[in-house]
Amino acid sequence: MAKSQKLKALQESIKSVRRQIDAATGTVPAEAIATLRQVIASHQSVAIAQVAKLVAQHHLKALMPDLAAQFERMRSGAATDPNCIAKQAIADALYRLEYAETELFLNGIHHRQMEPVWGKTVDTAPGLRAICALGLVRVHYREVLIELADLLADCEPEARIGAARAIAYSENPSGVALLRLKVRLGDDHPQVLSECFVALLTLAPQASFSLVASFLDTAESAVCELAALALGEARLPEAFAPLKAVWQRTREVDLRGTLLLSIATLRSTEAIEFLVGLVERGNLADAKAAIAALHIYRTVDDIWSRVQQAAQLSGDTQRLDLLPSPSNLIKDNKT
């Protein structure tokens, strides 16, 4: 049977298993478990990845040893796994199901898989390394911070992002030093810095506030935006003053909009008052940006009614036109 036909047959088996799962209880019949076991033991990485997701979704812990065994076969090269899709799906399933064996996640965090792409080779395993970092945190691996420090210096941005997320997930104050060093040294991928900002403000919000806020003054708009969003997400009241100050002195339209959104995300009385004031008394462009930022409160009646009232008090019909129609608000509520 051709490889494509084999894959199609296995995928039909998976669909059959899905139909056998009890929708109310999530119970999977023994025969279906046996079918999934056969798929896992196959050489079809796409089908194996689909089963791994099914195992995680329905908490089929009985299949964890089968997934772990297949992971090792693929990692060692005994079975192929183009683009690392099966190994990554397996690691993610085992992490979510609280698989307790450290060795698998250690092997995964060190795995690299170079594959040819357009005349060169690329590493297709950074996502796997990122997931295995979370797995090592979950199993309380004693030297996890050493592994995360190395991953934070990985060549691939996806792996570095995963390292920052894992440090935050660890809730270990010792990880703050690693994050501060990384932020000070910088990174050529803004999203890495963003995850470091979020992790710092998660682990040590007060101690990290001034460091993250200092990036509001960077010459790079992308980094400034990410620092602003991280500060807004952390909901630190003291972030309002520096966010407002940067907004007042920048003329960059997109950045100004992001800063107002960050202010709105603070969810403080001072922040709401400022934004509502812009709706009523700011110029039309600022009022439009403030309404867009305040849209996160469209289902909070007391705040949104103030936004509507401010637009009415402005006496400017253009501001009223900026407000979503009632029908659109109904759609938002449903979604």
Side-chain angles (χ1 to χ4, degrees), residues 203-244:
L203 290 174
Q206 298 300 327
S208 304
F209 167 71
S210 60
L211 175 60
V212 177
S214 70
F215 283 85
L216 295 174
D217 295 315
T218 181
E220 295 183 58
S221 296
V223 175
C224 175
E225 287 186 347
L226 293 171
L229 291 170
L231 288 167
E233 186 179 331
R235 297 187 186 178
L236 297 175
E238 56 267 41
F240 173 70
L243 287 171
K244 178 182 175 183

Side-chain angles (χ1 to χ4, degrees), residues 63-183:
L63 291 172
M64 289 198 299
D66 301 85
L67 288 175
Q70 181 62 281
F71 180 93
E72 185 53 34
R73 284 195 292 272
M74 289 180 162
R75 189 194 65 81
S76 65
T80 59
D81 180 26
N83 297 312
C84 223
I85 59 171
K87 289 189 293 295
Q88 185 167 328
I90 289 172
D92 184 64
L94 295 176
Y95 153 68
R96 293 179 186 280
L97 294 177
E98 300 185 1
Y99 183 73
E101 298 297 325
T102 302
E103 185 177 2
L104 182 143
F105 295 118
L106 269 178
N107 288 336
I109 202 172
H110 295 148
H111 186 72
R112 280 170 170 73
Q113 186 164 311
M114 306 306 296
E115 298 186 35
V117 175
W118 298 106
K120 60 179 181 179
T121 57
V122 297
D123 182 2
T124 61
L128 171 64
R129 296 196 291 277
I131 290 170
C132 288
L134 294 171
L136 287 175
V137 172
R138 175 159 274 181
V139 300
H140 303 291
Y141 179 55
R142 185 176 60 183
E143 296 181 345
V144 67
L145 282 182
I146 293 176
E147 297 294 339
L148 297 182
D150 289 343
L151 196 63
L152 204 56
D154 196 277
C155 294
E156 299 295 331
E158 185 178 359
R160 300 196 298 276
I161 288 170
R165 289 174 178 169
I167 292 172
Y169 178 52
S170 75
E171 298 182 349
N172 187 339
S174 298
V176 172
L178 292 177
L179 294 166
R180 291 183 70 93
L181 177 61
K182 181 61 179 175
V183 164

Side-chain angles (χ1 to χ4, degrees), residues 8-22 27-29 31-33 35-36 39 50-51 54:
K8 186 175 180 180
L10 291 173
Q11 289 178 320
E12 287 300 323
S13 297
I14 297 170
K15 288 180 181 178
S16 175
V17 169
R18 289 187 184 278
R19 289 192 292 268
Q20 296 175 57
I21 298 174
D22 188 305
T27 303
V28 183
E31 314 86 72
I33 293 291
T35 298
L36 294 177
V39 178
Q50 291 173 346
V51 170
L54 187 67

